[in-house]
Amino acid sequence: MYQFNYQKAGSQDDAVSAAGSAEDPKFLAGGMTLIPTLKQRLAQPSDLIDLSGIDGLAGVEDNGDSITIGAMTRHVDVANNDTVKSKIPALAHLASHIGDPQVRNRGTIGGSLANNDPAADYPAAVLGLNATVITNKREIAADDFFDGMFTTALEEDELITAVKFPVPDKAGYTKFPNPASRYALVGVMVAQTGGETRVAVTGAGQDGVFRASDIESALSGNWSADAAKGVKMSDADLNSDIHASAEYRAHLISVMASRAVEAAG
Amino acid sequence: MPTVSMTVNGKTVSADVEPRTLLVQYLREHLGLTGTHVGCDTSQCGACVVHMNGESLKSCTILAAQAEGADVTTIEGLANGDELHPMQEAFRENHGLQCGFCTPGMVMSALDLVQKNPDPSEREVREWLEGNLCRCTGYHNIVKSILAGAEALRG
């Protein structure tokens, strides 16, 4: 790792003002992707501002037709939360399969989204369930939040405080994990909410998470595993690496989507 | 350099370290607790698993500074003098290791499992170990050891 300054913020205001006065700051939540990124010298922030000491950023709130999850809520706490399990079981399922138990004990939803790793699970949940990302400045719709690999609509001193998920009529998430890291080679969230069908794919796209509009069209006419499986995805903008070719990922998208539909019921 | 203080295996410790120091470096290089291993160094293999405030985590993926004030337990903190912890004893009894490199992480991870789920099934043990890799592929006896250790801890 390159050198950096470390400080622990006591409040949201502290964190934002520390970010404002630093040359190239990064907020540190659970650190489950940021620290590996620093270790590989893929990033060189001047300052890390640790958010773990800020009160009120963790927890799940039941708003009836939506649930709000605080940005610092850990994956293990989303996975085990009764409200999440009863209202959006697909989201609890997704959280329970991120990384491994030790990663889930540290990683947070806000950190995962701000980082927008192209193979992370939560971006598929936010885009597929049409969630709203709430920051210290504004509310950002899922369709406007993700801006390509490791890039989001967030400004440098903007802090995610919570994520609001509308409760879907049906939703399912299935991923094909890398056997060592458990990152998604391909992960697909399918959801039906008030007549709208959304299908979000993580792990596969060169620009990170994206909506598979062909599968969305197929499923809106015919919500079935076969309809999803019948869509032949193009491999044009998909990742190819040592783990899987673009062609294989394209195939996996339809298969994972069909299994997600089965899981959604 | 900032001073980082925490409790490790019941003892208050303190050291001046660079902010970029990882918890595992702090444990191994500053405190000499080399039972916690660095395997892959990419948060995948689990050889570096320790407990912080009662829960398992990968000490290669957290800064020592993030553990300021925390209560950390490493593999060295389990035995009572010469008497092995029941989970360690179960690994010894069932030969839950081949080369032994992954063993400290396996034991620490197993203890987090059994505190959450005192009577896990074999399947639950195997699923829980998704974050612990044994390069010798000696999983069979590791799983057996954890089931035996869980039984011993249930009393």
Side-chain angles (χ1 to χ4, degrees), chain B:
Chain B
M1 279 190 290
T3 303
V4 175
S5 309
M6 64 189 82
T7 305
V8 178
N9 301 330
K11 235 169 65 188
T12 306
V13 295
S14 187
D16 295 339
V17 295
E18 290 182 343
R20 62 179 167 175
T21 306
L22 296 166
L23 178 59
V24 71
Q25 292 173 311
Y26 185 89
L27 295 170
R28 289 177 57 87
E29 294 164 23
H30 293 267
L31 305 180
L33 295 172
T34 53
T36 303
H37 292 165
V38 179
C40 70
D41 205 20
T42 53
S43 358
Q44 298 183 37
C45 81
C48 67
V49 170
V50 302
H51 290 198
M52 185 169 100
N53 300 330
E55 284 186 311
S56 60
L57 55 77
K58 292 183 168 171
S59 62
C60 79
T61 314
I62 175 173
L63 303 170
Q66 289 175 276
E68 167 71 35
D71 190 0
V72 174
T73 306
T74 71
I75 190 76
E76 289 92 342
L78 297 184
N80 183 11
D82 288 340
E83 190 193 330
L84 291 179
H85 184 282
M87 187 60 80
Q88 291 174 306
E89 185 57 40
F91 271 71
R92 197 182 71 87
E93 195 60 39
N94 292 281
H95 197 68
L97 63 144
Q98 289 183 36
C99 82
F101 190 87
C102 70
T103 313
M106 289 285 180
V107 171
M108 297 312 287
S109 185
L111 285 172
D112 194 15
L113 168 65
V114 299
Q115 72 180 355
K116 288 172 172 143
N117 180 0
D119 190 6
S121 66
E122 180 185 332
R123 189 193 164 95
E124 286 168 332
V125 171
R126 287 184 185 275
E127 281 178 354
W128 181 266
L129 291 181
E130 64 190 343
N132 292 84
L133 303 181
C134 168
R135 203 180 69 168
C136 313
T137 70
Y139 294 103
H140 188 70
N141 281 359
I142 292 170
V143 173
K144 232 164 89 182
S145 304
I146 295 173
L147 290 169
E151 196 182 342
L153 286 162
R154 287 197 301 275

Side-chain angles (χ1 to χ4, degrees), chain A residues 41-82:
Chain A
R41 296 192 165 185
L42 295 173
Q44 191 175 8
S46 64
D47 290 75
L48 284 193
I49 301 157
D50 187 346
L51 307 176
S52 65
I54 303 176
D55 285 337
L57 284 181
V60 176
E61 217 177 298
D62 185 351
N63 319 310
D65 59 357
S66 68
I67 60 176
T68 305
I69 301 179
M72 288 295 283
T73 312
R74 303 177 308 161
H75 308 326
V76 63
D77 296 323
V78 172
N80 293 333
N81 183 274
D82 288 336

